[in-house]
């Protein structure tokens, strides 16, 4: 009885021939299944052994064949497997021997290249050598992956994983051995990559993980500055103003870029000055210092720490520190007899004597609306602050008239003071008189300087708000939320790149020179786009770290039952900290109602808080802070974390200018100077709705 060996579905099969039609065969397999096989598929015809015995016996022979010796026995040119079987075994090989050789040839593509059915050609010696080396490397790599994965499953941190650090979580190269080992370990222990690496001790704590991932993404070369040439001193020959300037900032502020002054003119009227540090005088567009600032785009502020836009050597000669004379660009506004309206304006580049750095956290309780109305009340720079307060009220009333409604008042800000692992969270009124003075003067400067650029047809980077949408552009448009015809960012050039760019334009216009950026300069559009992306990212890490420190504060204070404020539906905010979270079982309550909740679980990695409703506290609902009113009116955006819709908060720009002018984001505070002109931190948290959207780095494979 005749049997055949043939290929079917990529494998070798043996069967008994039932009939032969010339071009095809009818065969029966050992299982009894009958099929039709084309004659061209047949590799070998044989009488013995039976089809059922052939393949097991041939496989046993193949296992015993030395592939190196088989390769040495092979002809130099193309050959059939039967011919090589004869050479290898000598004489006429049996069906089992021939099939064994065929199995070995097919299983050794490194040594033998397939040229057709049953036909092969030996690979050149150099090709075999290279292929074997590659196989050995793959075997070694697989062993390394297995060893690292096993170590991580057992709770040990392999040295290569330690060296890779945050690169395994931020835009990882998924072909690296470390990533593949991490992915395998995550699957085995059923943990996401950030959680597993934190448990293994790659990061000291969740805070270190969040920061490492952020720095890996936006500062891959490290947060330090490259070697740079010495920063030039301000140019000589600048006139010294007669004004006595003072700043208003938090005690921890180190980058002071705005001052105010008040002078009495010969006719008895007042002249108010807004003086902005002029680091643009330290260099030119596209020089080394400008390139560093453009790469960073902004100072990054977080509770307890910051990453500055400019190196310290460029900040110190231009920061408006008490007792110094500094180069500034100044806006002077001459007031009418009532002291509530600006009737004449002038912009000059000059030097200013800084006589005081006032600190609002030390003066807020003394400089109140009542004391500003009392001519007998004593506090530093009292006369100047009273004049500025009067102007502030007048300017604010004028903007309110344009807006069609007054700005919301009595908003709450939260300041973070971090020392080591301890944090203090302090509540304060964001619209305290000192804050309002600074905010209004910055709005005045940014609006007037936007007008100045427009009048001289010099482009700048403007911010506008129309129909509730905030956007940036290179030409002036109304800012309906602030109630001004145009608005630029120009009062924080030490810590925001767009302000530095706008200052270069302003300095050129004030001096009657050609501005560095011409209309339709492609670079301006590139800066605008890059700044928007960085600004959003920096705001996200600030919000993340504020949420982290809120959770640390709960642990530090051993808070298990806390008061919270209803924002909308099941969205609550801690009463003593700007942490927003959802409590599914809270009943329907009015916004602003205070409730008690039990803290069930805190997750500093996911930045989540799990809580259970206890009871609503007695009393009527309080008027929620402006951010919470906004969150209530925009519930869908709050739940989905829409950053664009959040910018619609009409009072946020003015409130943000308070942070910008007062410098509340300095070391140890970490409030929102970097995002001045945007919603405050608690507004940003409200927009997120749930903490899960702020969890930080992706899981393995993400």
């Amino acid at each position: 009885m005749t049997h055949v060996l043939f290929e079917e579905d990529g494998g070798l099969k043996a069967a008994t021939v039932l009939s032969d039609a010339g071009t095809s065969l009818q065969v029966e397999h050992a299982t009894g299944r009958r099929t039709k096989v084309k004659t061209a598929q047949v590799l070998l015809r044989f009488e013995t052994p039976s089809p059922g015995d052939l393949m097991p016996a041939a496989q046993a022979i193949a296992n015993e064949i030395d592939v190196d010796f088989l390769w040495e026995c092979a002809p130099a040119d193309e050959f059939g497997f039967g011919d090589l079987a004869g050479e290898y075994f000598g004489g006429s090989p049996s069906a089992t021997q021939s099939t064994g050789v065929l199995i070995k040839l097919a299983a050794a593509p490194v040594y033998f290249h397939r040229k057709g059915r049953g036909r092969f050609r030996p690979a050149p010696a150099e090709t075999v050598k290279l292929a074997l080396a590659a196989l050995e490397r793959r075997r070694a790599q697989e062993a390394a992956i297995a060893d690292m994965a096993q170590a991580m499953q057992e709770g040990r941190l392999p040295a290569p994983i330690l060296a890779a650090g945050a690169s395994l979580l931020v835009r990882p190269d998924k072909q690296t051995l470390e990533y593949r080992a991490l992915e395998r370990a995550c699957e085995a222990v059923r943990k996401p990559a950030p959680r597993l690496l934190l448990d293994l001790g790659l990061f000291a704590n969740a805070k270190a993980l969040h920061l490492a991932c952020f720095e890996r993404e936006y500062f891959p070369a490290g947060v330090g500055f490259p070697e740079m040439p010495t920063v030039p001193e301000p140019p000589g020959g600048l006139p010294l103003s007669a004004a006595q300037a003072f700043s208003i900032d938090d005690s921890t502020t180190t980058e002071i870029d705005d001052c105010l002054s008040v002078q009495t003119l010969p006719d008895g009227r007042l002249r108010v000055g807004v003086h902005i540090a002029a680091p643009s005088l330290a260099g030119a567009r596209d020089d080394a210092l400008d390139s560093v600032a453009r790469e960073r785009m902004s100072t990054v502020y977080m509770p307890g720490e910051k990453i500055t836009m400019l190196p310290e050597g460029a900040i110190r000669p231009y920061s408006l520190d008490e007792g110094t004379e500094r180069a500034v660009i100044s806006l002077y506004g001459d007031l009418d007899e009532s002291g509530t309206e600006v009737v004449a304006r002038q912009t000059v580049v000059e030097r200013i004597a800084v006589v005081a750095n006032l600190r609002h956290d030390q003066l807020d309780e003394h400089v109140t609306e009542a004391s500003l109305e009392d001519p007998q009340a004593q506090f530093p720079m009292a006369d100047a602050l009273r004049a500025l307060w009067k102007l502030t009220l007048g300017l604010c009333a004028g903007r309110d008239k344009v807006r069609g409604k007054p700005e919301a008042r009595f908003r709450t800000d939260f300041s973070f003071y971090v020392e080591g692992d301890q944090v203090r969270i302090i509540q304060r009124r964001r619209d305290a008189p000192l804050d309002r003075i600074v905010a209004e003067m910055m709005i005045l400067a940014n609006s007037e300087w936007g007008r100045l650029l427009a009048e001289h047809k010099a482009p700048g980077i403007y911010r506008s708000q129309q129909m509730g949408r905030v956007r940036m552009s290179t030409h002036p448009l109304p800012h309906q939320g602030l109630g001004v015809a145009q608005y630029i960012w120009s009062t924080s050039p030490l810590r925001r790149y767009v302000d530095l760019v706008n200052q270069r334009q302003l300095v050129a216009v004030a001096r009657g020179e050609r501005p560095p950026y011409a209309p339709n300069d492609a670079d301006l559009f590139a800066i605008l786009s890059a700044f928007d992306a960085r600004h959003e990212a920096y705001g996200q890490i600030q919000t993340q770290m504020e949420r982290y420190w809120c959770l640390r504060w709960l642990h530090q204070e051993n808070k298990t039952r806390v008061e919270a404020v209803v924002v909308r539906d099941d969205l609550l905010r801690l009463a003593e900290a700007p942490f927003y979270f959802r409590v599914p079982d809270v009943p329907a309550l009015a916004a602003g109602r205070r409730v008690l909740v039990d803290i069930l679980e805190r997750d500093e990695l996911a930045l989540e808080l799990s809580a259970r409703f206890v009871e609503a506290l007695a009393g009527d609902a309080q008027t929620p802070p402006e951010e919470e009113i906004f969150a209530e009116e925009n519930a869908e955006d709050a739940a989905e974390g829409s950053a664009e819709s959040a910018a619609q908060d009409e009072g946020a720009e003015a409130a943000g200018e308070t942070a910008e002018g007062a410098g509340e984001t300095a070391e140890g505070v970490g409030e929102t100077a970097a995002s001045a002109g945007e919603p405050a931190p608690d507004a940003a948290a409200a927009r997120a709705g749930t903490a899960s959207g702020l969890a930080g780095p992706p899981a393995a494979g993400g």
Side-chain angles (χ1 to χ4, degrees):
M1 186 174 292
T2 302
H3 312 295
V4 289
L5 176 71
F6 59 94
E7 286 185 326
E8 183 181 69
D9 298 330
L12 296 175
K13 303 290 176 66
T16 301
V17 177
L18 299 179
S19 64
D20 187 345
T23 59
S24 64
L25 305 173
Q26 185 75 20
V27 300
E28 183 180 64
H29 295 261
T31 60
R33 180 173 66 91
R34 295 186 177 188
T35 58
K36 187 176 181 180
V37 177
K38 291 182 180 179
T39 303
Q41 293 176 263
V42 175
L43 298 171
L44 180 68
R45 295 174 183 260
F46 59 96
E47 300 295 329
T48 58
S50 67
D53 295 334
L54 175 69
M55 294 308 295
Q59 184 63 60
I61 289 176
N63 293 342
E64 295 177 357
I65 294 176
D66 185 323
V67 69
D68 289 292
F69 182 67
L70 187 65
W71 177 73
E72 291 176 359
C73 293
D77 296 322
E78 182 180 320
F79 61 88
F81 72 96
D83 298 331
L84 182 57
E87 289 287 338
Y88 187 83
F89 290 103
S92 297
S94 67
T96 304
Q97 291 172 331
S98 295
T99 304
V101 168
L102 177 59
I103 292 173
K104 195 67 176 183
L105 290 169
V110 168
Y111 291 86
F112 302 99
H113 297 163
R114 184 165 180 168
K115 308 303 290 184
R117 281 195 176 91
R119 300 194 63 77
F120 298 85
R121 183 170 187 165
E126 186 62 25
T127 301
V128 171
K129 181 180 178 181
L130 293 175
L132 290 176
L135 286 175
E136 183 57 33
R137 284 196 302 272
R138 283 198 289 270
R139 280 194 291 268
Q141 289 172 354
E142 178 58 32
I145 291 171
D147 289 345
M148 287 189 286
Q150 185 62 34
M152 287 186 281
Q153 292 173 49
E154 295 172 357
R156 292 180 285 114
L157 182 63
I161 300 294
L162 176 62
S167 66
L168 294 169
L169 300 175
V170 179
R171 302 183 187 278
D173 180 353
K174 298 183 179 181
Q175 300 307 312
T176 63
L177 305 186
E178 293 80 7
Y179 183 86
R180 291 159 63 188
L182 176 61
E183 193 172 41
R184 187 176 299 181
C186 288
E187 292 174 357
V189 300
R190 299 183 179 274
K191 288 183 180 179
R195 182 77 62 187
L196 176 58
L197 293 177
L198 185 62
D199 292 345
L200 291 173
L202 178 59
F203 305 98
N205 49 39
K207 170 195 168 188
L209 186 150
H210 293 310
L211 292 179
C213 290
F214 170 75
E215 291 176 9
R216 174 69 185 179
E217 176 78 14
Y218 295 101
F219 298 90
V223 298
F225 289 93
E227 290 293 331
M228 297 181 60
T230 302
V231 176
E233 291 291 328
L238 294 178
L240 178 62
S241 172
Q244 300 293 290
F246 61 94
S247 66
I248 304 174
D249 297 280
D250 186 87
S251 292
T252 52
T253 300
T254 59
E255 301 161 277
I256 302 177
D257 46 20
D258 58 85
C259 277
L260 305 173
S261 68
V262 178
Q263 302 175 72
T264 302
L265 299 175
D267 61 4
R269 291 184 299 120
L270 298 179
R271 171 173 291 171
V272 167
V274 179
H275 314 282
I276 304 302
S280 63
L281 300 177
R285 171 183 174 182
D286 297 329
D287 68 6
L289 185 61
D290 181 69
S291 297
V292 166
R294 180 169 178 174
E295 172 64 26
R296 298 195 171 205
M297 282 293 172
S298 172
T299 291
V300 185
Y301 290 95
M302 295 165 282
E305 50 201 300
K306 64 180 176 180
I307 304 170
T308 60
M309 179 181 76
L310 295 172
E312 185 68 11
I315 293 173
R316 289 279 61 84
Y318 292 90
S319 179
L320 306 182
D321 300 330
E322 182 177 320
T324 62
E325 290 182 3
R326 292 290 191 244
V328 295
I329 180 170
S330 299
L331 172 68
Y332 289 105
D334 293 351
L335 308 187
D336 62 5
E337 293 182 355
S338 70
T340 60
E341 185 178 347
V342 178
V343 295
R345 303 157 184 84
Q346 181 185 13
T347 296
V348 295
V349 180
E350 59 184 1
R351 288 180 296 133
I352 195 78
V354 183
V355 298
N357 290 150
L358 303 185
R359 306 300 184 175
H360 65 74
D361 53 313
Q362 299 173 3
L363 293 177
D364 274 349
E365 60 181 282
H366 304 292
V367 184
T368 63
E369 295 182 23
S371 65
L372 287 167
E373 300 293 341
D374 179 5
Q376 304 302 317
Q378 297 297 310
F379 44 84
M381 311 301 296
D383 290 340
L385 289 174
R386 288 192 179 95
L388 290 170
W389 176 243
K390 190 173 184 180
L391 176 60
T392 292
L393 296 178
L395 293 175
C396 186
R399 292 192 302 104
D400 285 349
K401 187 174 182 179
V402 174
R403 287 157 40 92
K405 62 180 180 180
E407 291 178 357
R409 299 293 176 206
F410 309 109
R411 296 181 292 269
T412 300
D413 240 345
F414 295 85
S415 300
F416 292 76
Y417 294 87
V418 177
E419 296 180 6
D421 289 333
Q422 299 295 303
V423 61
R424 289 184 297 121
I425 302 177
I426 308 298
Q427 297 186 50
R428 59 183 299 271
R429 279 181 55 190
R430 190 195 303 164
D431 63 340
L434 287 178
D435 288 344
R436 290 186 61 189
I437 288 171
V438 174
E440 206 62 52
M441 295 306 106
M442 297 307 109
I443 293 172
L444 173 66
N446 286 327
S447 175
E448 290 299 332
W449 280 336
R451 186 200 312 275
L452 182 65
L453 291 182
E455 288 175 348
H456 287 78
K457 295 181 170 52
I461 299 178
Y462 289 82
R463 291 179 65 78
S464 65
Q465 185 197 63
Q466 295 179 291
M467 304 298 291
R469 179 180 175 84
V470 172
R471 60 188 293 261
M472 299 182 76
S473 65
T474 59
H475 57 277
L477 291 170
H479 196 300
Q480 296 172 343
L482 289 178
V484 295
Q486 64 284 312
Y487 187 79
I488 63 173
W489 269 351
S490 60
T491 53
S492 293
L494 290 174
R495 47 196 171 87
R496 212 163 42 200
Y497 188 67
V498 293
D499 300 56
L500 189 61
V501 169
N502 283 332
Q503 186 179 92
R504 286 202 178 96
Q505 299 293 87
L506 289 166
V507 167
V509 167
R511 289 175 159 180
E513 301 170 353
R514 181 190 298 273
Y517 296 90
N520 298 318
D521 191 319
D523 232 15
L524 272 183
F525 294 97
I527 290 168
L528 187 153
S529 176
F531 178 82
D532 258 352
R534 279 296 179 107
H535 190 60
E536 181 179 353
Y538 292 175
Q540 288 175 353
I541 187 61
Q542 178 179 318
T543 300
Q544 280 184 274
M545 297 316 298
E546 287 177 352
R547 291 179 70 83
Y548 169 82
W549 283 111
C550 287
L551 293 173
R552 289 300 303 165
W553 174 78
L554 288 172
H555 173 73
Q556 167 189 305
E557 302 299 320
N558 196 27
K559 299 278 189 179
T560 57
R561 176 167 291 185
V562 296
E563 287 189 22
V565 180
V566 175
V567 177
R568 186 184 189 280
D569 298 334
D570 63 349
L571 179 63
L572 308 182
R573 192 208 73 195
L574 293 178
E576 299 179 76
F579 191 95
Y580 286 73
F581 60 105
R582 294 192 181 276
V583 180
D585 63 343
V586 69
L589 295 169
R593 185 68 179 271
R594 290 203 168 220
V595 299
L596 275 181
V597 297
D598 280 340
I599 305 298
L600 303 179
E601 188 177 358
R602 296 175 297 104
D603 190 332
E604 294 172 5
L605 178 60
L607 300 175
E608 293 177 347
L609 179 65
S610 176
R612 177 178 57 217
F613 173 76
V614 177
E615 63 177 348
L617 298 178
D620 296 331
Q622 302 174 3
T623 302
E626 180 186 25
E627 293 81 17
E628 290 153 346
I629 294 175
F630 170 73
E632 179 187 3
E633 293 174 348
N634 299 273
E636 181 176 348
D637 293 326
E640 296 299 326
S642 170
E644 177 181 312
S645 299
Q648 298 174 9
D649 183 357
E650 295 180 355
E653 290 275 2
E657 290 301 335
T658 302
E660 174 192 308
E664 293 175 352
T665 57
E667 297 170 332
V669 184
E671 292 183 77
T672 328
S675 54
E678 297 297 332
D682 39 349
R687 294 199 303 272
T690 60
S692 58
L694 303 168

